[in-house]
């Protein structure tokens, strides 16, 4: 068995502060609002809370564009509120990790303002500058994730600065030891306040390689340099230095967002002997419904490739790293709307998806509202959009005539990041219990039906099912430490696998369709040594008839005969 660690045994809950709970009635979620919901989170049974950014920000990318790493944005409260939150989290036996966004700052960060003010300013080298190409254009053909080139001209100095996301998010220059020193010092100050670790935003992209040459251009008209950047080995040096300088001597959780990383990269990032990160988010599964116009299409995630991608990462990181398991986060549409059923089988499919993920090896992350079976939003007008990525894509594709307005709104309702960011649905009242005034973005009208108020008391609610999954994790070490073995990999309808540990085998079968299906378990699963631990159906005939109901998930434990 792998070495036991609390962070392997933990379930993490992600809070997107802007949309979680509005304590002061200004329409925006805040820290006092979060404090008011800690009992709800403790009752859910999660171990760790991850707070998306709460730092001062112009809000262009909802806080992922920071102007001060060491203060609290007044919209969310102040440092006293934060300290109270931390104390209240700890008082409930939970832990808190915070978002560390150090690949870039806001263009309004004082460092960038200083860097721009004068070529000789000491902060100039905190960012990445290049001369224009001979025609005066950008230095290479790299594109920014939120549209356009990855370079913007600073007219004053006649130099371009690099930004992989938007011009308002200039890339930091990690080659500069003074920048690294400042970042580690900032991290140490948060740790001495008592935070329990970091979720590190696009950490795989911090180390820019020396190769700034052009690359092959995609449909966007630009080269996407992220894979080239993620492959640069210097990232490992920086992370090991970060461990030495900022993290050592503490028992923390570190989870890196490993955008564009390969399995090989991720293995190095999370290798237990490598002193880099505990675990990483990777995105190969999330990209399976992409296409030529990036994610803007009607495509859904196909099950067979999903099964093989999950198996690849489950087996690829076994004994040599650790997976951060997620179906949802603030950058993804709701998985229930992607792969489940928003209609009659909404609750069954939400539970099936949760089972499929939580029984794999890794630390599961729950994104706010997932535990209630919250769904995507139907956006009917671009005015409802708040996400810069979706707004930019709408302008670009609709204006160029490449995609019609109707199609684009449909794609946005399927794929936009805003689907995750609609306010949390606490109750059926106007304002959804999220706010008593006008919310900063529209609330999903289905909060009258899907909300946190009615679920605790209803035994078969999605919320109570998540609690049961978490209890299972506590009760059976095989759920955390068992080896993952794919089963019936070619079956196009059922996602099944086993977990194996110390003479026990756990079988997980998930029917991804709305039909009943015959599905044979591996030998030895239908006798007195096997026990059904969990199902999302009131009555399951799986153990007697090998038949799975629509969207049924069954978890069965078999002990070897001694
Ligand atoms: C990460 C964040 C995302 C943000 C981007 C730029 O991917 O999760 O929300 O837009 O980084 O900071």
């Amino acid at each position: 068995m792998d070495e036991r660690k609390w962070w392997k045994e933990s379930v993490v809950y992600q809070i997107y502060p802007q949309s979680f709970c509005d304590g002061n009635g200004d329409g925006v979620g805040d820290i006092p609002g979060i404090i008011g919901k800690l009992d709800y989170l403790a009752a859910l049974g999660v171990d760790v809370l991850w707070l998306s950014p709460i730092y001062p920000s112009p809000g262009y990318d909802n806080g992922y564009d920071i102007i001060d790493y060491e203060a609290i944005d007044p919209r969310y409260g102040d440092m006293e509120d934060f300290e109270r939150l931390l104390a209240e989290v700890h008082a409930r036996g939970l832990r808190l990790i915070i978002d560390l966004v150090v690949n870039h700052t806001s263009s309004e960060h004082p460092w960038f303002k200083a860097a721009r003010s004068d070529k000789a300013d000491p902060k100039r080298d905190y960012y990445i500058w290049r001369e224009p190409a001979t025609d005066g254009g950008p230095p290479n053909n790299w594109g920014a994730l939120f549209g356009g080139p990855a370079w913007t001209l600073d007219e004053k100095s006649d130099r371009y600065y690099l930004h992989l996301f938007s011009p308002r998010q200039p890339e930091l220059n990690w080659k500069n030891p003074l920048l690294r020193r400042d970042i580690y010092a900032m991290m140490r100050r948060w740790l001495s306040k008592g935070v329990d670790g970091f979720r590190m935003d696009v950490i795989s992209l911090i180390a820019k390689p020396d190769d700034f040459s052009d690359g092959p251009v995609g449909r966007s008209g630009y080269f996407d340099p992220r894979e080239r950047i993620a492959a640069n080995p210097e990232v490992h040096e920086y992370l090991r230095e970060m461990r030495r300088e900022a993290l050592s001597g503490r028992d923390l959780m570190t989870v890196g967002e490993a955008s564009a990383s390969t399995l090989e990269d991720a293995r190095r990032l999370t290798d237990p002997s490598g002193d880099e990160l505990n675990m990483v988010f990777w995105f190969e599964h999330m990209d399976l419904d992409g296409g030529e116009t990036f994610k803007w299409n009607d495509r859904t995630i196909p099950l067979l490739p999903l099964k093989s991608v999950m198996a690849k990462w489950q087996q690829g990181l076994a004994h040599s790293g650790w997976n951060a398991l997620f179906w949802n986060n603030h950058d993804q549409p709701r998985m229930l709307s992607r792969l489940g059923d928003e209609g009659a089988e909404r609750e069954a499919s939400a539970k099936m998806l949760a089972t499929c993920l939580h029984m794999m090896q890794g630390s599961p992350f729950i994104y706010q509202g997932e535990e209630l079976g919250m769904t995507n939003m139907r956006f009917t007008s671009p005015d409802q959009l708040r996400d810069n990525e979706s707004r930019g894509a709408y302008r670009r594709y609709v204006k160029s005539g490449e995609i019609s307005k109707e199609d684009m709104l449909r794609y946005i309702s399927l794929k936009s990041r805003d689907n995750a960011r609609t306010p949390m649905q606490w109750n059926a009242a106007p304002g959804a219990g999220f706010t008593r005034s006008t919310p900063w973005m529209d609330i999903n009208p289905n909060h009258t039906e899907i909300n946190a108020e009615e679920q605790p008391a209803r035994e078969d609610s999605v919320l109570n099912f998540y609690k049961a999954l978490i209890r299972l994790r506590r009760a059976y070490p095989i759920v955390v430490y068992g080896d993952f073995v794919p089963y019936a990999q070619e079956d196009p309808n059922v996602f099944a696998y086993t977990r194996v540990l110390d003479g026990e085998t756990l079988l997980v079968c998930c029917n991804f369709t709305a039909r009943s299906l015959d599905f044979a378990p591996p030998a030895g699963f239908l006798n007195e040594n096997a026990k059904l631990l969990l199902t999302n159906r009131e009555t399951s005939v799986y153990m007697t008839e090998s038949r799975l109901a629509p969207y049924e998930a069954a978890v069965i434990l078999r002990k070897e005969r001694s």
Side-chain angles (χ1 to χ4, degrees):
M1 183 161 114
D2 289 345
E3 196 186 348
R4 288 191 66 165
K5 293 279 182 195
W6 65 265
W7 44 263
K8 293 182 180 170
E9 296 172 15
S10 290
V11 177
V12 186
Y13 187 95
Q14 182 188 355
I15 296 177
Y16 196 63
Q18 199 155 341
S19 301
F20 192 64
C21 184
D22 171 17
N24 66 357
D26 64 357
V28 178
D30 50 38
I31 295 174
I34 299 171
I35 295 173
K37 296 298 181 186
L38 289 178
D39 287 337
Y40 166 85
L41 296 172
L44 175 58
V46 296
D47 307 274
V48 181
L49 307 180
W50 151 27
L51 209 53
S52 275
I54 30 92
Y55 318 98
S57 160
Y60 173 73
D61 193 18
N62 282 353
Y64 285 91
D65 47 332
I66 295 171
I67 58 176
D68 182 350
Y69 285 122
E70 300 200 42
I72 304 295
D73 192 297
R75 287 179 311 160
Y76 299 137
D78 58 22
M79 195 52 89
E80 244 172 73
D81 292 319
F82 178 82
E83 282 163 3
R84 195 156 54 89
L85 169 66
L86 191 56
E88 296 275 351
V89 166
H90 287 160
R92 286 167 180 77
L94 308 180
R95 290 176 161 103
L96 184 74
I97 65 172
I98 58 174
D99 225 298
L100 182 80
V101 188
V102 290
N103 174 67
H104 48 268
T105 65
S106 161
S107 51
E108 291 171 44
H109 192 292
W111 290 346
F112 193 65
K113 286 187 178 164
R116 245 180 164 167
S117 69
D118 188 345
K119 267 186 174 172
D121 189 280
K123 295 289 182 280
R124 178 77 176 181
D125 190 44
Y126 274 32
Y127 296 88
I128 299 171
W129 306 91
R130 286 288 182 280
E131 283 180 18
T134 38
D135 65 355
N140 64 23
N141 68 354
W142 296 8
L145 197 64
F146 298 150
W151 299 93
T152 292
L153 183 66
D154 172 50
E155 289 185 1
K156 192 169 168 205
S157 60
D158 193 33
R159 291 289 179 275
Y160 280 87
Y161 66 88
L162 179 66
H163 51 79
L164 294 181
F165 291 91
S166 84
R168 299 190 206 196
Q169 294 165 295
E171 303 289 305
L172 286 166
N173 176 20
W174 274 72
K175 283 200 192 303
N176 183 336
L178 298 178
L179 167 87
R180 303 204 300 275
R181 181 204 61 191
D182 281 354
I183 287 175
Y184 304 148
M186 172 270 284
M187 291 171 71
R188 286 196 300 268
R189 285 190 285 273
W190 281 107
L191 290 169
S192 56
K193 274 190 195 297
V195 304
D196 301 291
F198 298 98
R199 175 268 183 187
M200 303 185 185
D201 193 60
V202 286
I203 203 72
S204 51
L205 303 182
I206 57 174
K208 309 301 182 283
D210 294 325
D211 179 7
F212 272 69
S213 59
D214 284 354
V217 165
R219 173 94 175 260
S220 66
Y222 298 99
F223 168 60
D224 179 350
R226 285 176 300 158
E227 279 176 24
R228 190 193 287 177
I229 296 172
N232 179 16
E234 261 171 310
V235 66
H236 305 288
E237 282 169 38
Y238 298 146
L239 287 173
R240 285 196 295 270
E241 182 183 69
M242 178 189 282
R243 163 86 41 191
R244 283 194 308 276
E245 299 293 321
L247 307 173
S248 64
R250 298 176 190 265
D251 189 15
L252 303 169
M253 175 184 272
T254 54
V255 48
E257 190 191 23
S259 298
S261 294
T262 62
L263 175 60
E264 233 4 86
D265 301 330
R267 221 183 254 149
R268 266 187 88 177
L269 290 167
T270 62
D271 185 323
S273 59
D275 274 346
E276 297 183 30
L277 301 169
N278 294 154
M279 62 185 98
V280 287
F281 299 117
W282 43 269
F283 296 90
E284 204 176 334
H285 54 332
M286 292 287 133
D287 297 337
L288 289 172
D289 55 2
E292 285 197 327
T293 42
F294 184 40
K295 57 184 164 183
W296 310 114
N297 59 41
D298 278 318
R299 231 162 275 156
T300 52
I301 297 176
L303 188 61
L304 283 173
L306 177 70
K307 287 168 60 168
S308 64
V309 165
M310 298 308 287
K312 165 181 150 188
W313 286 83
Q314 282 287 300
Q315 296 182 306
L317 290 186
H319 309 296
S320 62
W322 196 249
N323 277 293
L325 303 169
F326 72 99
W327 286 146
N328 295 288
N329 65 33
H330 64 290
D331 292 328
Q332 296 294 335
R334 298 266 176 192
M335 193 55 127
L336 171 52
S337 300
R338 277 168 114 166
L339 272 177
D341 174 42
E342 289 184 351
E345 300 288 2
R346 182 179 57 80
E347 295 215 326
S349 62
K351 295 171 191 173
M352 180 279 289
L353 287 166
T355 308
C356 186
L357 190 76
H358 282 235
M359 293 296 113
M360 288 187 203
Q361 191 182 62
S363 303
F365 283 65
I366 301 171
Y367 178 72
Q368 63 186 45
E370 176 187 335
E371 78 283 11
L372 304 174
M374 274 178 65
T375 66
N376 278 357
M377 175 89 166
R378 293 252 182 293
F379 293 100
T380 52
S381 153
D383 300 336
Q384 291 175 296
L385 301 175
R386 296 288 174 272
D387 168 30
N388 56 36
E389 180 188 69
S390 311
R391 287 158 76 116
Y394 184 90
R395 277 195 302 273
R396 194 159 63 247
Y397 289 115
V398 174
K399 211 166 125 197
S400 66
E402 215 175 321
I403 300 179
S404 73
K405 189 176 163 193
E406 295 67 38
D407 283 351
M408 195 62 196
L409 280 172
R410 193 174 68 253
Y411 301 156
I412 282 173
S413 300
L414 291 170
K415 308 279 177 77
S416 165
R417 309 198 294 180
D418 269 345
N419 287 298
R421 299 173 182 185
T422 59
M424 178 76 175
Q425 297 170 197
W426 294 106
N427 64 35
F434 163 72
T435 185
R436 46 183 195 274
S437 64
T438 312
W440 73 280
M441 84 176 287
D442 284 355
I443 294 170
N444 196 321
N446 68 16
H447 72 276
T448 49
E449 187 201 337
I450 306 171
N451 62 65
E453 194 171 65
E454 64 88 28
Q455 296 206 20
R458 180 162 58 85
E459 212 180 305
D460 69 348
S461 66
V462 179
L463 181 72
N464 281 323
F465 191 83
Y466 269 83
K467 290 181 186 174
L469 277 172
I470 296 172
R471 282 197 300 270
L472 218 56
R473 188 177 184 80
R474 305 254 179 281
Y476 295 93
I478 193 170
V479 172
V480 180
Y481 294 104
D483 284 335
F484 173 97
V485 184
Y487 177 68
Q489 228 8 24
E490 301 311 318
D491 189 302
N493 302 311
V494 177
F495 193 155
Y497 53 86
T498 58
R499 303 285 306 279
V500 181
L501 184 74
D502 297 340
E504 288 186 349
T505 306
L506 188 74
L507 171 67
V508 182
C509 307
C510 297
N511 179 357
F512 272 67
T513 77
R515 304 183 305 277
S516 306
L517 296 171
D518 291 325
F519 184 74
F525 265 94
L526 297 182
N527 59 34
E528 67 284 3
N529 288 326
K531 183 177 157 209
L532 182 69
L533 293 186
L534 188 73
T535 162
N536 59 346
R537 289 288 172 183
E538 206 176 321
T539 50
S540 174
V541 294
Y542 190 65
M543 298 296 284
T544 47
E545 295 174 24
S546 305
R547 171 162 279 269
L548 292 166
Y551 294 108
E552 178 167 355
V555 181
I556 302 162
L557 183 68
R558 187 188 68 193
K559 290 187 194 297
E560 299 305 335
R561 229 187 287 263
S562 47

